[in-house]
Amino acid sequence: MDSFEGIATLEWWANRSTCLARLGVRVAVRISGNDWACDAVLEPPLTAEDREGFDFLMAFDPLFTLRFDEEGMLHVNVVAAGDDGRLTLTAYQAEAAETAGSRRLP
């Protein structure tokens, strides 16, 4: 498979039992060799108040869970790619020595 386009869900977990955000996204994943790139658009677009909360979570910690269905998920870093709601997702890579206060992944 060289690409995938479809609907997924971005989740921001405070800990293993508390999900603070669950947002629908339309993703476009492109695969080239061992590398992949992913763009996403929030769907439906967020209200100004919801966007403020989403921006806060991204600034606090850009680590989200990208869930394709009940079986498929991966951890990604999310960065705003423009003012029009576009996002860039990259694969999360654990640091060799994360601080004790780091959030736990679900």
Side-chain angles (χ1 to χ4, degrees), residues 18-32:
T18 307
C19 181
L20 293 182
R22 187 170 280 125
L23 307 158
V25 290
R26 176 165 295 283
V27 295
V29 181
R30 293 167 307 287
I31 301 167
S32 175

Side-chain angles (χ1 to χ4, degrees), residues 36-100:
W36 62 274
C38 183
D39 297 317
V41 176
L42 293 166
E43 197 169 278
L46 299 178
T47 65
E49 183 178 336
D50 290 340
R51 183 63 197 213
E52 186 177 318
F54 178 66
D55 290 344
F56 172 80
L57 292 176
M58 280 195 303
F60 184 73
D61 189 345
L63 174 60
F64 285 74
T65 299
L66 180 63
R67 192 172 305 280
F68 292 99
D69 54 35
E70 292 302 316
E71 301 295 323
M73 58 78 90
L74 71 136
H75 301 291
V76 295
N77 290 310
V78 178
V79 176
D83 293 334
D84 59 355
R86 291 180 300 116
L87 306 168
T88 299
L89 312 181
T90 56
Y92 168 74
Q93 306 237 338
E95 299 287 329
E98 291 193 11
T99 62

Side-chain angles (χ1 to χ4, degrees), residues 1-38:
M1 171 170 61
D2 295 327
S3 66
F4 169 81
E5 290 189 28
I7 301 296
T9 304
L10 275 178
E11 301 171 341
W12 196 95
W13 290 83
N15 55 45
R16 292 188 187 270
S17 62
T18 307
C19 181
L20 293 182
R22 187 170 280 125
L23 307 158
V25 290
R26 176 165 295 283
V27 295
V29 181
R30 293 167 307 287
I31 301 167
S32 175
N34 291 332
D35 296 326
W36 62 274
C38 183

